[in-house]
Amino acid sequence: MAPHSPLDLADDDPFGPHHLPYGVFSALAEPGGPGRPGGAGRRRIGVRYGDHVLDLGAAAEALGSPHAALLAGPTLNPLLAAGRPVWQAVRAQARAWLTGPEHRRAVAPLLRPLADAALHLPFEVADYVDFYASEHHATNVSTIFRPNAPALPPPWKHLPIGYHGRAGTVVVSGTPVVRPRGQYRGGAAGPVAGPTRRLDFEAEVGFVVGAPSSHGRPVPLTALRDHVFGVCLLNDWSARDVQAWESQPLGPFLGKSFATSVAAWVTPLDALDAARTAPPPRDTPPLPYLDDSAAEPGGLDLALEVAVNGHTVSRPPFSSMYWTAAQQLAHLTANGASLRTGDLFASGTVSGPRPEERGCLLELTWGGREPLRLPGGERTFLEDGDEVTLRATAPGPDGTRLSLGEVTGRVLPALPEGPGADGAA
Ligand code: MN
């Protein structure tokens, strides 16, 4: 066995042969290219293996895969559209190439250190929906914003509440987030416009739709695996002052649409079989189309972690989510709305029952009333220069663990007001 080959991973590597998440990368030092992060070389589909990325398109070409055409482009969308039997075949092939001794000579040159790769948005986002599926989060938010109202809105335990977000502002991990401007409640003189004073993160899990569905044909909750390709961590950046002023009665609009960050790596749903777990007991029986009592366990035992400037501020458990991805998919198609390849739906903020498991600053600081103490100073909401990173681990097969790709982003100061400000920085 050759020493130091990227093909020789430790058994407990969280990006080992049991994981194999997909992404899109380009070379940082492409011949003839400027070599800057974010777009120098040609974009290629890759599979993460340890701290390397396998050029999957090149491997498929070199090793003669029948699916090479799906893997040759700059996004995952053709693979996503191909459906589950092809996803399984490509995954099995990638695993065989990375672990089979007979493929070492061909595959080793196609592995690139992650340090030499720029990572891009892995798929073209079609429609984006964000849910509100944590009972602990929904209860806390209601209590903070509407202390005299019931803890949960009347429909909350009858359907997974969601809203349509803005697909065009989904950005890949590492993309800076400019502090948005907006309108929010002022003093007696009325509302004011300006940079948000209450910029927040929301720790969430995103589900990436592969195979589309027909218009007019609801997707049953038993069909999750036929349509959802995989999972990625997601930060639903939120301007709380803008959101609080604009949201009654239609829900979030500009308070959320300025940016949503996703991880650069999509973990196939098939890699998370060992993470499946029963959702928390429901005290309100759901209607038949949402009743999962006879289905396979729909929860996922993902252990999330939120860090602000490198300091862990929360550890939200995804296993505590009341509504599952399968129920969310069934609900969002229940009226006949169709799925498109590249649709992204997110879980909603993941908050567990304990204070240290809350998935956003709104809850962690209880509406700004209880500042967090961080090594760099107190925080109620995010300041310019702050960096937020979400990570997660999950059980893999045979006692292994895998790590979802992280999602990180740094807050940049708001742009100056007025026309002509675009590009002034
Ligand atoms: Mn959200």
Side-chain angles (χ1 to χ4, degrees):
M1 209 178 258
H4 306 307
S5 167
L7 287 167
D8 298 324
L9 295 186
D11 289 341
D12 60 351
D13 194 294
F15 294 96
H18 54 289
H19 188 182
L20 305 181
Y22 293 88
V24 168
F25 73 101
S26 62
L28 272 183
E30 191 87 344
R36 59 182 171 80
R42 185 166 69 84
R43 295 187 184 197
R44 310 144 193 265
I45 292 173
V47 162
R48 180 163 175 177
Y49 199 60
D51 290 327
H52 285 70
V53 53
L54 171 69
D55 185 334
L56 193 63
E61 200 67 52
L63 293 157
S65 165
H67 306 296
L70 299 175
L71 306 171
T75 74
L76 290 174
N77 290 56
L79 174 63
L80 298 183
R84 190 163 185 237
V86 174
W87 306 338
Q88 290 178 317
V90 168
R91 178 168 162 79
Q93 217 157 32
R95 181 180 292 173
W97 294 339
L98 287 162
T99 58
E102 70 277 24
H103 298 306
R104 287 181 73 98
R105 280 176 62 114
V107 166
L110 302 176
L111 285 155
R112 171 179 291 269
L114 282 173
D116 296 342
L119 301 176
H120 305 276
L121 192 63
F123 59 101
E124 191 181 332
V125 182
D127 290 304
Y128 166 49
V129 166
D130 192 28
F131 283 98
Y132 193 54
S134 160
E135 181 174 1
H136 310 292
H137 172 70
T139 302
N140 289 339
V141 170
S142 285
T143 308
I144 292 166
F145 278 142
R146 295 174 290 278
N148 300 318
L152 291 172
W156 200 90
K157 289 205 166 172
H158 298 282
L159 56 81
I161 290 178
Y163 67 93
H164 281 93
R166 193 164 187 85
T169 50
V170 176
V171 298
V172 72
S173 175
T175 306
V177 172
V178 175
R179 178 178 299 273
R181 309 179 76 88
Q183 181 187 132
Y184 40 85
R185 198 173 278 117
V192 296
T196 176
R197 296 168 185 168
R198 295 192 143 208
L199 183 59
D200 202 352
F201 57 79
E202 290 189 339
E204 304 198 15
V205 175
F207 293 84
V208 180
V209 171
S213 69
S214 303
H215 197 180
R217 300 284 298 274
V219 174
L221 55 76
T222 50
L224 178 85
R225 289 168 181 271
D226 296 326
H227 292 279
V228 170
F229 174 81
V231 169
C232 60
L233 288 173
L234 182 148
N235 183 349
D236 177 28
W237 302 93
S238 300
R240 299 299 185 192
D241 39 11
V242 177
Q243 181 187 353
W245 177 237
E246 73 180 359
S247 288
Q248 308 291 337
L250 286 186
F253 188 40
L254 302 185
K256 302 269 194 178
S257 63
F258 55 94
T260 305
S261 298
V262 292
W265 300 105
V266 180
T267 293
L269 212 49
D270 282 336
L272 292 171
D273 280 344
R276 290 196 162 261
T277 186
R282 282 66 171 262
D283 48 29
T284 305
L287 288 167
Y289 78 100
L290 293 171
D291 183 0
D292 62 355
S293 53
E296 64 174 342
L300 286 174
D301 180 17
L302 312 177
L304 274 60
E305 182 188 337
V306 185
V308 176
N309 300 329
H311 180 77
T312 298
V313 298
S314 179
R315 297 181 187 278
F318 194 70
S319 58
S320 67
M321 298 300 273
Y322 190 91
W323 295 106
T324 70
Q327 289 172 317
Q328 291 168 336
L329 187 75
H331 186 63
L332 81 85
T333 59
N335 63 348
S338 49
L339 298 173
R340 290 195 291 169
T341 296
D343 280 356
L344 172 67
F345 64 98
S347 60
T349 305
V350 185
S351 290
R354 301 173 211 269
E356 65 274 19
E357 296 173 340
R358 294 170 180 164
C360 62
L361 286 174
L362 178 72
E363 291 170 85
L364 287 164
T365 70
W366 210 252
R369 294 192 278 281
E370 300 168 12
L372 277 187
R373 284 187 192 82
L374 300 183
E378 284 191 347
R379 285 293 181 283
T380 49
F381 292 94
L382 295 170
E383 297 185 2
D384 292 345
D386 282 350
E387 186 175 63
V388 179
T389 303
L390 312 181
R391 298 187 182 85
T393 63
D398 308 319
T400 58
R401 285 197 80 78
L402 52 85
S403 294
L404 299 191
E406 69 172 29
V407 58
T408 189
R410 188 181 291 278
V411 178
L412 298 185
L415 292 173
E417 194 178 7
D422 190 21

